[in-house]
Amino acid sequence: TEKSDIFSLAVILWFSFHQGAYPFSLDLPVSEILDRICKGERPTFAKNFFDSNLQNFIKKMWSFDPQQRPELS
């Protein structure tokens, strides 16, 4: 759906701005990562992340409730 695409785009943006860092530990099995995401855990931002507006926008794109995610039309 469009709302799941928004969530995925936020992950791509996070990945791009964190210069290829992994959003979750590579030591975790995929099932654990999915469980954490379903419980509301999201990747953290680097302390020196340069743009708080962009950071807030990405966080909104990760909203647990898909209806709270922005539209990109």
Side-chain angles (χ1 to χ4, degrees):
T1 66
E2 177 186 344
K3 296 299 183 170
S4 62
D5 290 346
I6 296 297
F7 189 98
S8 298
L9 177 59
V11 173
I12 293 168
L13 289 171
W14 183 95
F15 186 79
S16 298
F17 289 116
H18 285 81
Q19 301 175 342
Y22 292 99
F24 292 95
S25 171
L26 293 177
D27 295 332
L28 295 173
V30 173
S31 60
E32 175 71 18
I33 294 171
L34 293 174
D35 186 53
R36 288 178 179 206
I37 290 171
C38 289
K39 289 179 179 175
E41 186 175 329
R42 302 295 185 257
T44 57
F45 288 85
K47 291 182 183 187
N48 62 348
F49 192 76
F50 62 93
D51 190 328
S52 62
N53 290 325
L54 180 58
Q55 181 176 341
N56 290 333
F57 185 67
I58 290 172
K59 286 181 178 181
K60 188 170 184 175
M61 294 170 79
W62 280 333
S63 176
F64 187 79
D65 178 2
Q67 297 307 314
Q68 298 297 318
R69 297 176 194 159
E71 295 183 10
L72 297 179
S73 54

